[in-house]
Amino acid sequence: AGSGGSFLSVRTKHIECLERMLNFNNFVDSKTSWQEHWKILIYDGFCRDVISTLFKVADLRKHGVTLHLNINADRQQVQDVSAIYFVQPSKDNVARIGRDCAAGLYDSMHLNWSSTIAQDQLHALATSVAECEGQSRIQKVFDQHMNFVSLDHRLFSLMMDQSYVKLNDPEVGDAEMESTINDIVNGLFSVLVTLGVVPIIRCPRGDAAAMVGERLCKKLRDHFLSTNNLFKEQAFSSSSFSRPALIIVDRSTDLSVNLQHAWSYEAMLHDVLGMNLNKLTVSETVGEDGRRQPSRVYDLGASDSFWVDNCGKPFPVVTDEIEEKLTAWKLEYAAIGTQGQAEYVADAAGGGGFDALP
């Protein structure tokens, strides 16, 4: 996926797209004042995961979001504040938005679909809004093409459970396999739209990867011929002469990775502590002295320098790195305090500093 720079950093581009969405789909620059327009953010479970890997609560507040709620939660009427919806274009979400409009929960509603909404769902929404005469509440409707999760500058996930089984199990029906392939194609298309690149697609012949590659290529060609070409701006930019390669391979090509993981810091956190969406939970522990350490949730990712430097290293190397960091930390605090303060800080570090590192 390229280097960690801005050109092919899926994380950086994803953040830019979310910021534009939170600015009511207007261009964001250094002059943008987020405090001019306070807003409420409404999301479903999938889009919550999309946002949570890129923004913390403090980041949302900095972008003018005063309240963020799940679309299925019981929500009260809020006047004089715009509501930004970021949800999947599902039948249930469309129906819920229609009910919100009929109930008059918000004066202004900006609808953002994580992927392209089907015409029948759009017609159903228009009908429900017209029946309650709520047309004036719907300000904008956008297909955001962000139905994937960015975990790092070079790593993203389509968040598809059991996709390998659905593509390789002989008992899976053709309809389910077709749906899985379409979901993969739509997810990859969203990644390309977010990055703003048209890649050179390479894939083997005769397997599921080939089907994905062929359909993605067709989807891109059909999109280029449409009036709403999302790659129009990139076509005349300097980056258009440097097209990346998108290599699609079937998981069976390297199946052993699923069964035998490397002894790296990242792999061990996934296997031992159940790391998910760049977060992990360390359960409550009881020390020899009977003191309880409450369970803690750690948020790891591109903003954590220790994680960035060590996630791919072998675990024994990381333990040495932790010891070096802890020693340096103790020396720094000892240098700025009195002898008594230094002893207190050293004791605190010895009791919790090492445990604070996952």
Side-chain angles (χ1 to χ4, degrees):
S3 66
S6 60
F7 173 49
L8 280 183
S9 168
V10 65
R11 184 179 187 273
T12 300
K13 292 292 186 179
H14 209 165
I15 290 175
E16 291 175 359
C17 291
L18 283 173
E19 287 181 336
R20 186 168 59 248
M21 183 190 76
L22 293 177
N23 196 34
F24 304 106
N25 290 291
N26 295 316
F27 181 73
V28 177
D29 56 23
S30 58
K31 298 180 181 179
T32 300
S33 177
W34 298 100
Q35 285 71 30
E36 290 181 359
H37 302 284
W38 300 107
K39 67 216 67 165
I40 297 174
L41 178 62
I42 310 296
Y43 46 70
D44 59 8
F46 178 85
C47 292
R48 176 202 59 208
D49 292 342
V50 172
I51 296 171
S52 66
T53 58
L54 300 173
F55 288 165
K56 296 181 173 63
V57 174
D59 297 324
L60 291 177
R61 290 175 180 167
K62 184 183 72 174
H63 289 81
V65 177
T66 58
L67 188 64
H68 50 93
L69 299 167
N70 192 291
I71 191 172
N72 295 314
D74 293 330
R75 290 171 280 120
Q76 303 297 320
Q77 187 180 56
V78 181
Q79 300 296 329
D80 301 325
V81 177
S82 298
I84 295 178
Y85 284 76
F86 181 40
V87 296
Q88 290 182 298
S90 66
K91 183 178 179 180
D92 291 340
N93 287 339
V94 168
R96 186 58 188 260
I97 291 173
R99 294 196 297 271
D100 289 354
C101 191
L105 293 186
Y106 315 110
D107 292 338
S108 175
M109 301 167 66
H110 299 253
L111 310 184
N112 299 273
W113 312 111
S114 62
S115 58
T116 303
I117 184 171
Q119 286 298 317
D120 59 337
Q121 295 296 338
L122 196 58
H123 290 159
L125 176 63
T127 300
S128 63
V129 171
E131 289 176 350
C132 66
E133 298 182 352
Q135 299 92 320
S136 61
R137 299 183 186 276
I138 308 296
Q139 300 298 315
K140 295 181 180 180
V141 180
F142 277 90
D143 293 334
Q144 290 293 346
H145 299 286
M146 289 192 285
N147 56 326
F148 64 96
V149 172
S150 295
L151 299 172
D152 201 348
H153 291 295
R154 305 177 180 87
L155 179 64
F156 65 87
S157 173
L158 302 184
M159 301 301 290
M160 297 177 59
D161 293 333
Q162 302 294 318
S163 58
Y164 179 80
V165 174
K166 294 176 183 177
L167 292 175
N168 294 274
D169 190 345
E171 297 183 0
V172 172
D174 292 340
E176 187 173 4
M177 179 177 289
E178 287 287 320
S179 176
T180 301
I181 291 176
N182 288 334
D183 288 343
I184 295 174
V185 170
N186 290 333
L188 292 177
F189 180 80
S190 292
V191 174
L192 298 179
V193 170
T194 300
L195 288 172
V197 296
V198 181
I200 299 171
I201 301 175
R202 292 291 182 263
C203 56
R205 298 180 182 273
D207 58 10
M211 298 175 66
V212 170
E214 292 169 0
R215 294 192 186 183
L216 179 59
C217 184
K218 183 179 183 303
K219 186 178 181 69
L220 287 169
R221 288 175 179 170
D222 292 343
H223 182 75
F224 296 152
L225 298 176
S226 67
T227 56
N228 186 29
N229 185 356
L230 297 172
F231 299 95
K232 190 182 303 181
E233 295 181 4
Q234 287 76 20
F236 301 100
S237 67
S238 59
S239 62
S240 63
F241 299 99
S242 178
R243 295 172 59 189
L246 174 60
I247 302 174
I248 305 173
V249 294
D250 193 277
R251 179 73 271 174
S252 301
T253 305
D254 194 14
L255 191 59
S256 62
V257 173
N258 293 331
L259 306 175
Q260 184 177 7
H261 295 170
W263 195 14
S264 66
Y265 188 35
E266 183 175 16
M268 291 194 70
L269 292 186
H270 275 281
D271 291 346
V272 177
L273 297 177
M275 181 176 171
N276 183 43
L277 296 174
N278 288 347
K279 294 179 178 62
L280 59 85
T281 301
V282 177
S283 302
E284 180 185 48
T285 58
V286 180
E288 295 180 357
D289 56 358
R291 291 195 304 174
R292 291 181 176 273
Q293 287 281 357
S295 60
R296 298 181 182 181
V297 178
Y298 295 90
D299 192 353
L300 306 177
S303 60
D304 187 319
S305 59
F306 185 86
W307 171 254
V308 171
D309 294 339
N310 295 279
C311 62
K313 294 180 181 179
F315 190 70
V317 175
V318 178
T319 57
D320 294 338
E321 185 73 16
I322 291 174
E323 189 64 32
E324 292 178 8
K325 292 286 185 182
L326 185 60
T327 301
W329 185 81
K330 290 179 180 180
L331 292 175
E332 288 178 5
Y333 273 86
I336 62 175
T338 62
Q339 182 63 32
Q341 290 174 325
E343 291 177 358
Y344 173 80
V345 171
D347 290 339
F354 185 86
D355 295 337
L357 291 171

